Amino acid sequence: MHGTEKPETDNPLSEPEAAFDVGDRLRLVRQAHGLSQRALAVKAGVTHSLVSLIEKNKVSPSVASLKKILEAINYPMTDFFALTLPPVDQIFYRADELTPLSTGALTLLQVGDAKSHSVQVFHEFYEPGADTGETMLSHEAEEGGVVVAGELEVTVGTQTRILKRGDAYLFDSRLPHRYRNVGPVRCEVVSAVTPPYL
């Protein structure tokens, strides 16, 4: 996921968001930093309209978009979602206890509080056409995952492969990478990153 993000690269909301209100939280964080929507957009290198649409919950931001915006003000994604995180000493998690870091066409559910562990575990769901954004992701970590259902196009550096049920990936996260569902059905993935990066 390069350049300025455009609103159309993010996912329009087709159904009500989960209990966590991304738009309202972004507005509160922005205001706490004393920034206007336009000033935040300039710092993050995204369009003013993207920030506005996210805050109005008109679009569900891609992982790359939200991370890019928060990094511009040095605000970790784990802190952004902190109020929804479970107790640190919790060991087992029901499906409805996972923390949504992204919802909509790309649903990214985190197991537990990644800040309290050296690994970050995700249960991911990609609707047909959904991806992590036009800007390639890159961070200090290693990550891997297994496709549980559907198909997932994984791009790492100059390599691209379409993975199907049972296929897996493992690589150095410093290499630019992107995930995209190129199949006709919902794709499900279980993945892990160490150290945590969101």
Side-chain angles (χ1 to χ4, degrees):
M1 328 179 283
H2 297 290
T4 302
E5 293 279 336
K6 299 177 182 178
E8 58 266 30
T9 64
D10 291 84
N11 306 313
L13 297 179
S14 56
E15 57 188 44
E17 286 285 70
F20 187 83
D21 190 326
V22 173
D24 187 56
R25 180 64 58 83
L26 180 59
R27 178 180 59 78
L28 291 174
V29 169
R30 173 180 60 76
Q31 292 174 342
H33 283 76
L35 295 171
S36 65
Q37 288 183 343
R38 191 172 300 280
L40 176 58
V42 170
K43 284 178 71 71
V46 301
T47 62
H48 172 217
S49 60
L50 176 59
V51 175
S52 176
L53 289 170
I54 292 173
E55 290 194 2
K56 293 176 181 176
N57 283 317
K58 297 290 187 182
V59 297
S60 179
S62 66
V63 173
S65 294
L66 185 57
K67 190 169 189 292
K68 187 175 184 180
I69 291 169
L70 295 176
E71 282 181 341
I73 52 177
N74 295 314
Y75 200 88
M77 280 186 74
T78 46
D79 289 352
F80 187 79
F81 292 96
L83 293 184
T84 65
L85 293 174
V88 173
D89 59 354
Q90 185 170 344
I91 296 174
F92 303 106
Y93 302 84
R94 296 190 311 272
D96 62 0
E97 292 181 312
L98 302 187
T99 303
L101 299 191
S102 173
T103 57
L106 168 54
T107 299
L108 190 62
L109 305 174
Q110 175 181 284
V111 179
D113 181 358
K115 289 170 61 177
S116 304
H117 302 278
S118 59
V119 64
Q120 190 170 26
V121 180
F122 296 112
H123 194 187
E124 309 173 28
F125 297 92
Y126 297 76
E127 298 300 331
D131 64 36
T132 49
E134 287 189 345
T135 303
M136 300 282 276
L137 291 164
S138 181
H139 46 95
E140 293 282 340
E142 293 185 336
E143 61 192 273
V146 178
V147 176
V148 177
E151 299 180 0
L152 185 69
E153 179 188 82
V154 181
T155 297
V156 180
T158 59
Q159 300 184 59
T160 298
R161 184 75 58 86
I162 295 177
L163 305 180
K164 299 183 179 182
R165 182 173 181 267
D167 293 340
Y169 58 87
L170 179 66
F171 61 90
D172 185 330
S173 308
R174 290 174 297 183
L175 294 170
H177 53 282
R178 177 187 185 190
Y179 301 100
R180 185 163 66 110
N181 181 358
V182 295
V185 299
R186 191 186 206 199
C187 177
E188 179 180 0
V189 179
V190 174
S191 68
V193 180
T194 183
Y197 81 106
L198 291 180

